[in-house]
Amino acid sequence: MYQIDQRSPVPVYEQLARQIERHIVSGDLADGQKLPSIRELASALRINPNTVAKTYRQLENEGLVSSRKGLGIFVSVRGMDLDGSRDKLFAELTDDYVRKATGLGMEGNEIIQGLTRRLKGGK
Amino acid sequence: MVSMKGISFAYGSKDIIRDLNLEFSPGETLMITGPNGVGKSTILRLLAGVLLPSSGSIEYGFPKSTDPRSRIAYLPDSLSFYRSMTPLEAAAFHAGIFGTEPSGLDIARKAGVDVDRRISELSLGQRVIVQLSIILSTGPDLVLIDEVLHSVDPYLRGLLFQELVRVMEERAPTMVLVNLSFSEVENLVDRVIFMGVEGIRLDESVDLLKAGARLIEADDFSSDLPVVLCREVLGRKQFVVYPFTAGQEGVEKAHPMDLTEIMTAFMEAEYNA
């Protein structure tokens, strides 16, 4: 599901667009899959239907979804650079992680060591 | 487009509103907020036509032939309408006035309301639902809602939201909310107007407001940033800044804020002034 961060300075339509993009990149939303209608999504998340419409317009401009008249909005990733999108999202995640770790006073080597231990299944 | 031009209003000799100018676009959902007694509910009553301004004018931009009252759905803070009627009678009565189809009371039925019982015998939350489903049935272009949601339990509130979203999507009316809890509707609202004793203090889109408001914790704080409020919490000084621009020297940690926090800061500043 989708989660709106009320404290984020990022506008809600943009937050929602990035979350849908993440679902598309990860394959949770498959190519050709129908997205919820504006009304369904707005009611479920208690957000303004104009906001959802803006999210869908943005995703359409970015080429991640396409609208078929009278039928709805569908995931459409043909010809999309999914690897590029994945790299971009991973870079954002890494930036966020590094920022938080640095905030704790960790330095580069410690961060890398901590990650390596984790990846090997240790603590 | 609804416009209030040079509106003044007084209760007896007490000026409540002085020379107010506001414009609302179709499809816009806005919240009017501010401390008690600055005239927020009065603005709704003026827009609803329940009160007449002592000077100034309101233009609605509705089609000429229609009765403007049929285009306005007003839910007042006191739910006094139709108390002695049943929901079914009230729906028929309301439709009779405006020559529209009576509300099917769908959400009221979903909410388990007995539509053959007197409205005065229903719970407060049920009365809100009944009234809302009646006033929204005329397909309004201007929806005015004062307070009320806090008397509605979470399940019924969910139904109410569905109904509001439906109307917003179908008709894109102008929607003006007053005295509602921000956390309930903060993703529904796209513009906030903060009223102080001196009139409008802030009129801004929610996106810009959230992008620009920051909480800074610091012992001392000197910069050119506009400080809305300075307060002490648990022995630490907090500065609320709006609008914030990044890259200021001496500002290390600026925390984003949610709408409730931003509006509480404006409110606090207004009381301290």
Side-chain angles (χ1 to χ4, degrees):
Chain A
M1 249 321 242
Y2 305 104
Q3 202 112 49
I4 306 302
D5 178 3
Q6 303 298 2
R7 211 167 256 125
S8 169
V10 178
V12 174
Y13 80 89
E14 181 71 29
Q15 289 189 40
L16 192 55
R18 296 290 67 84
Q19 288 181 37
I20 294 175
E21 179 187 18
R22 217 169 298 148
H23 284 307
I24 293 173
V25 169
S26 72
D28 286 345
L29 285 171
D31 193 21
Q33 198 169 331
K34 189 172 189 261
L35 292 176
S37 72
I38 289 176
R39 191 182 296 182
E40 281 168 347
L41 199 50
S43 292
L45 300 179
R46 298 197 174 185
I47 62 183
N48 193 313
N50 297 334
T51 307
V52 181
K54 208 166 166 186
T55 298
Y56 282 176
R57 271 201 306 277
Q58 164 122 342
L59 289 169
E60 200 170 1
N61 288 339
E62 292 169 355
L64 287 160
V65 305
S66 64
S67 69
R68 280 179 240 158
K69 227 180 179 144
L71 291 174
I73 309 274
F74 297 83
V75 177
S76 116
V77 292
R78 250 150 297 203
M80 271 293 302
D81 179 12
L82 277 190
D83 287 336
S85 297
R86 192 178 291 125
D87 288 349
K88 200 184 89 196
L89 289 173
F90 182 57
E92 284 170 16
L93 201 63
T94 311
D95 285 346
D96 186 49
Y97 173 72
V98 169
R99 197 167 35 243
K100 283 177 181 158
T102 316
L104 283 175
M106 310 305 279
E107 290 181 359
N109 274 339
E110 293 172 294
I111 295 173
I112 291 167
Q113 280 165 19
L115 268 179
T116 312
R117 267 202 306 278
R118 272 290 187 199
L119 287 171
K120 283 178 182 158
K123 290 203 170 171
Chain B
M1 177 79 82
V2 177
S3 30
M4 306 181 85
K5 290 183 182 158
I7 297 286
S8 298
F9 182 82
Y11 283 110
S13 61
K14 192 171 183 262
D15 267 358
I16 301 287
I17 289 165
R18 239 168 300 153
D19 193 28
L20 180 79
N21 293 287
L22 276 174
E23 287 199 332
F24 311 125
S25 307
E28 192 172 44
T29 300
L30 57 118
M31 164 98 87
I32 302 179
T33 183
N36 291 333
V38 296
K40 304 183 301 281
S41 295
T42 305
I43 292 177
L44 280 203
R45 289 185 198 119
L46 288 163
L47 282 169
V50 177
L51 294 176
L52 292 175
S54 42
S55 62
S57 66
I58 301 176
E59 279 160 29
Y60 292 99
F62 301 147
K64 278 237 158 44
S65 56
T66 56
D67 179 348
R69 289 174 308 165
S70 71
R71 310 258 53 87
I72 300 172
Y74 172 46
L75 191 62
D77 50 352
S78 59
L79 292 166
S80 55
F81 291 167
Y82 312 134
R83 289 178 65 99
S84 61
M85 296 184 194
T86 69
L88 272 182
E89 290 166 353
F93 179 76
H94 191 83
I97 296 175
F98 300 121
T100 53
E101 278 291 304
S103 162
L105 295 168
D106 293 347
I107 41 166
R109 287 175 209 268
K110 257 193 236 169
V113 173
D114 180 351
V115 294
D116 290 315
R117 222 166 123 186
R118 276 173 197 269
I119 288 175
S120 58
E121 292 167 11
L122 302 176
S123 75
L124 202 52
Q126 288 182 326
R127 270 154 62 189
V128 171
I129 297 257
V130 166
Q131 200 139 328
L132 202 73
S133 60
I134 289 176
I135 61 172
L136 292 180
S137 69
T138 55
D141 293 313
L142 178 61
V143 179
L144 310 166
I145 300 182
D146 197 346
E147 229 152 353
V148 301
L149 281 198
H150 45 87
S151 56
V152 180
D153 69 48
Y155 173 72
L156 296 188
R157 227 176 293 157
L159 291 179
L160 272 179
F161 268 89
Q162 272 178 31
E163 190 63 5
L164 287 178
V165 164
R166 183 185 65 78
V167 172
M168 286 165 85
E169 212 210 339
E170 273 177 13
R171 293 200 60 88
T174 300
M175 206 150 85
V176 187
L177 312 174
V178 160
N179 292 336
L180 295 178
S181 140
F182 288 104
S183 52
E184 294 294 350
V185 293
E186 71 178 308
N187 293 327
L188 218 54
V189 173
D190 37 37
R191 174 177 161 199
V192 173
I193 294 173
F194 185 88
M195 304 265 305
V197 194
E198 302 291 324
I200 297 171
R201 280 268 289 120
L202 179 84
D203 182 350
E204 191 59 275
S205 87
V206 170
D207 284 352
L208 282 180
L209 203 55
K210 281 192 179 178
R214 291 291 186 283
L215 181 79
I216 295 166
E217 286 188 321
D219 295 328
D220 195 23
F221 178 72
S222 55
S223 87
D224 297 335
L225 290 170
V227 173
V228 175
L229 176 76
C230 167
R231 65 180 163 211
E232 214 173 290
V233 178
L234 302 174
R236 288 209 72 179
K237 270 195 183 149
Q238 290 186 342
F239 300 85
V240 175
V241 167
Y242 179 82
F244 176 76
T245 33
Q248 284 279 336
E249 259 184 73
V251 178
E252 281 176 11
K253 275 192 182 157
H255 306 282
M257 304 167 76
D258 68 23
L259 200 56
T260 311
E261 294 166 331
I262 298 169
M263 284 303 118
T264 307
F266 272 90
M267 196 90 80
E268 227 176 302
E270 183 71 21
Y271 275 109
N272 292 346

